[in-house]
């Protein structure tokens, strides 16, 4: 091969490690970017000594979402469709955080009607369950279990239909607006949602039986990819990654935004019940328990939406929505919220009387959580790397935002 083509190859496939630096018996293995177990277009440069991993380097940038530059070229309320496309498995959660941040900039947080707040929490918790079902189901396929994936995708489909009934869209909703909602809940939604919750409760028990307590699943995930709590904190991990390592830290409790302070729910943490605290099993265990807590939250929201804050003929979900967003003065704000993958934060820098942010920066939990992958993969076997990557639960739309 000529020198010019070798240079092109190096430019198209950048490596951190060169063949000249490898020790005897080591080799470089590329995993991805077109690989089902990397959960998107993620490329992993793996240095192995036989079956043992010496180093892992995630290579990102294959998706190019360009969210932040889009956000800096259009109005705050026009950015919502782009927010949806960051974490496309939990679009409601991303919308919720963005809208709360803009509302705080505008100083209209206290003007949001309680019914709007309860509807927001209702749909975000439904979306949280749907997201965790994809995380656990696809993780089961990574490990070699096919039936749990089919069962979880079947039940996720019920949630997708409910959210489509609310917003008109299947995955990218544009439902939560700055100052309110696109529309009130459809008539009969509360009753249908309660029926689904009653249906779902025994299905979560089945999930424990078929997957979490399955001996093969435990053998493949317990004591694998252990993330010690101090390492998780030093790498700024959040969500189930952090809670799986034993720290009870959930922004719904810590920051107490929206109506979460009025709701009763627990914050599950990893306890090393099947292996070591912070291993792959614990992270999936936390996600499964969070689904149960989301069911509790949804029940309480439904009680409020059919009780103290039930629908009335004069209720307008867009009453507090500003027709034209105008910022007063130059401001800087960082606002964060708890999505299924952890702390999603937005940094805003505004200019006086402009409806377009001067700077919009997204702090994506998938991007931050992925950074700890090399630390928890060294010394593991190549087959275990699949289990570790799946337990991180990344969405590449957030990583390449």
């Amino acid at each position: 091969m000529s020198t010019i083509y070798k240079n092109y190859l190096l430019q198209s496939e950048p490596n951190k490690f060169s063949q000249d630096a490898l020790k005897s018996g080591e080799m470089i293995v590329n995993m991805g970017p077109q690989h089902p177990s990397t959960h998107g277009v993620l490329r992993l440069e793996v240095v192995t000594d036989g079956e043992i991993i010496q180093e892992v380097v995630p290579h990102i940038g294959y998706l190019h979402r360009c969210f932040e530059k889009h956000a800096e070229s259009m109005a705050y309320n026009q950015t919502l469709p782009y927010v949806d496309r960051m974490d496309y498995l939990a679009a409601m959660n991303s919308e919720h955080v963005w809208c709360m941040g803009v509302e705080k900039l505008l100083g209209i947080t206290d003007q949001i009607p309680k019914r709007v707040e309860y509807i927001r929490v209702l749909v975000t918790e439904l979306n949280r369950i749907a997201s965790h079902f994809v995380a656990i189901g696809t993780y089961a396929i990574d490990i070699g279990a096919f039936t749990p994936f089919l069962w979880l995708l079947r039940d996720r489909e019920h949630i997708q239909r409910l959210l489509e009934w609310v917003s008109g869209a299947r995955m990218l909703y544009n439902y939560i607006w700055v100052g309110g909602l696109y529309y009130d809940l459809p008539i009969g939604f509360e009753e249908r949602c309660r029926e689904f919750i009653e249906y779902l409760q025994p299905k979560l028990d089945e999930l424990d039986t078929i997957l979490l307590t399955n001996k093969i699943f435990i053998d493949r995930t317990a004591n694998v990819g252990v993330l010690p709590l101090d390492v998780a904190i030093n790498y700024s991990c959040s969500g189930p990654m952090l809670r799986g390592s034993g720290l009870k830290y959930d922004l719904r409790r810590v920051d107490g935004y929206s109506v979460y302070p009025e709701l009763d729910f627990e914050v599950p943490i990893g306890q090393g019940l099947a292996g070591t605290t912070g291993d792959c099993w614990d992270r999936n265990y936390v996600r499964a328990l969070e689904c149960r807590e989301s069911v509790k939250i949804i029940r309480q929201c439904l009680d409020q939406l059919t009780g103290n804050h039930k629908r009335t003929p004069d209720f307008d979900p867009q009453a507090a929505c500003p027709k034209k967003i105008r910022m007063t003065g130059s401001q800087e704000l960082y606002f964060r919220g708890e999505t299924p993958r952890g702390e999603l934060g937005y940094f805003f820098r505004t200019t006086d009387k402009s409806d377009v942010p001067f700077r919009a920066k997204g702090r994506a939990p998938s991007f931050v959580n992925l950074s700890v992958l090399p630390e928890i993969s060294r010394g593991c076997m190549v087959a275990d790397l699949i289990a570790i990557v799946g337990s991180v639960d990344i969405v590449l739309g957030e990583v390449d935002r």
Side-chain angles (χ1 to χ4, degrees):
M1 185 182 294
S2 66
T3 303
I4 187 170
Y5 286 115
K6 286 183 179 179
N7 290 336
Y8 285 154
L9 183 63
L10 290 173
Q11 290 173 10
S12 62
E13 294 291 344
N15 290 329
K16 179 179 179 181
F17 299 98
S18 65
Q19 295 183 5
D20 300 334
L22 296 179
K23 300 176 183 177
S24 177
E26 291 183 345
M27 63 179 177
I28 299 175
V29 178
N30 271 312
M31 184 181 296
Q34 278 77 35
H35 191 293
S37 293
T38 57
H39 296 253
V41 282
L42 171 69
R43 173 174 163 246
L44 299 175
E45 179 187 351
V46 187
V47 178
T48 67
D49 183 358
E51 284 288 316
I52 305 301
I53 296 171
Q54 303 300 313
E55 284 290 343
V56 178
V57 180
H59 289 271
I60 63 175
Y62 289 84
L63 193 58
H64 294 298
R65 185 66 72 189
C66 299
F67 163 77
E68 291 165 358
K69 286 303 169 188
H70 280 129
E72 291 164 14
S73 62
M74 57 187 61
Y76 295 91
N77 48 1
Q78 292 178 328
T79 308
L80 282 168
Y82 295 90
V83 174
D84 284 338
R85 286 158 175 79
M86 283 180 62
D87 183 354
Y88 40 79
L89 293 178
M92 288 290 191
N93 303 80
S94 303
E95 291 175 15
H96 195 196
V97 179
W98 175 270
C99 289
M100 286 190 296
V102 178
E103 288 160 5
K104 190 165 185 178
L105 284 170
L106 293 171
I108 62 172
T109 301
D110 296 335
Q111 301 176 24
I112 311 300
K114 279 287 186 168
R115 179 170 173 82
V116 167
E117 293 283 17
Y118 277 107
I119 292 175
R120 286 179 171 185
V121 172
L122 172 67
V123 294
T124 53
E125 293 305 317
L126 282 170
N127 213 170
R128 190 183 308 275
I129 297 175
S131 176
H132 282 338
F133 278 5
V134 173
I136 300 171
T138 54
Y139 189 63
I141 285 188
D142 292 343
I143 301 302
F146 199 76
T147 301
F149 171 76
L150 297 178
W151 286 10
L152 289 170
L153 266 288
R154 172 201 63 196
D155 295 335
R156 175 179 177 267
E157 186 66 23
H158 296 310
I159 300 177
Q160 295 301 101
R161 288 174 178 172
L162 285 172
L163 295 179
E164 185 177 4
W165 189 19
V166 168
S167 66
R170 178 174 169 79
M171 285 183 65
L172 308 171
Y173 306 107
N174 192 17
Y175 177 67
I176 300 176
W177 284 8
V178 176
L181 302 167
Y182 163 64
Y183 201 70
D184 196 1
L185 294 177
I187 295 176
F189 182 88
E190 295 93 330
E191 293 74 14
R192 186 78 62 84
C193 189
R194 201 180 293 276
E195 290 175 7
F196 168 72
I197 292 303
E198 298 304 325
Y199 157 85
L200 186 63
Q201 195 70 54
K203 303 301 179 185
L204 295 175
D205 298 333
E206 289 179 355
L207 175 62
D208 288 348
T209 303
I210 195 174
L211 188 66
L212 295 178
T213 58
N214 182 288
K215 186 180 186 306
I216 298 175
F217 184 77
I218 292 175
D219 290 344
R220 287 290 285 114
T221 57
N223 301 311
V224 174
V226 178
L227 176 60
L229 181 56
D230 59 334
V231 177
I233 293 173
N234 289 336
Y235 274 82
S236 296
C237 293
S238 58
M241 285 287 288
L242 177 62
R243 293 191 287 275
S245 296
L247 183 61
K248 191 174 287 192
Y249 187 86
D250 189 312
L251 295 177
R252 294 174 293 176
R253 280 282 183 243
V254 174
D255 289 355
Y257 57 86
S258 191
V259 291
Y260 282 110
E262 303 172 21
L263 301 172
D264 177 33
F265 65 97
E266 299 296 325
V267 179
I269 59 173
Q271 305 173 52
L273 298 179
T276 306
T277 301
D279 58 16
C280 292
W281 189 89
D282 264 348
R283 290 191 278 275
N284 277 273
Y285 175 67
V286 166
R287 291 187 183 101
L289 290 183
E290 284 187 5
C291 291
R292 295 180 180 274
E293 297 304 316
S294 291
V295 168
K296 289 169 56 177
I297 294 173
I298 291 168
R299 275 207 177 95
Q300 295 171 69
C301 289
L302 290 173
D303 291 341
Q304 292 289 338
L305 292 171
T306 55
N308 296 333
H309 305 288
K310 62 184 178 182
R311 70 177 72 244
T312 56
D314 60 340
F315 173 69
D316 181 8
Q318 299 181 18
C321 294
K323 302 300 182 226
K324 183 74 171 177
I325 293 178
R326 292 294 187 190
M327 295 295 171
T328 56
S330 299
Q331 306 178 59
E332 289 187 358
L333 172 71
Y334 176 76
F335 193 89
R336 61 184 185 172
E338 189 74 33
T339 72
R341 266 149 284 281
E343 178 184 331
L344 172 64
Y346 294 109
F347 170 79
F348 302 92
R349 179 176 291 167
T350 72
T351 51
D352 191 23
K353 297 182 180 179
S354 174
D355 63 344
V356 178
F358 178 79
R359 181 75 175 97
K361 164 75 175 172
R363 189 269 188 202
S366 294
F367 177 81
V368 179
N369 291 342
L370 180 63
S371 66
V372 82
L373 182 65
E375 288 290 332
I376 61 179
S377 300
R378 292 190 192 99
C380 295
M381 301 186 74
V382 173
D384 289 336
L385 181 59
I386 302 297
I388 296 171
V389 172
S391 72
V392 178
D393 184 26
I394 56 172
V395 170
L396 263 296
E398 275 193 339
V399 175
D400 291 342
R401 69 203 178 288

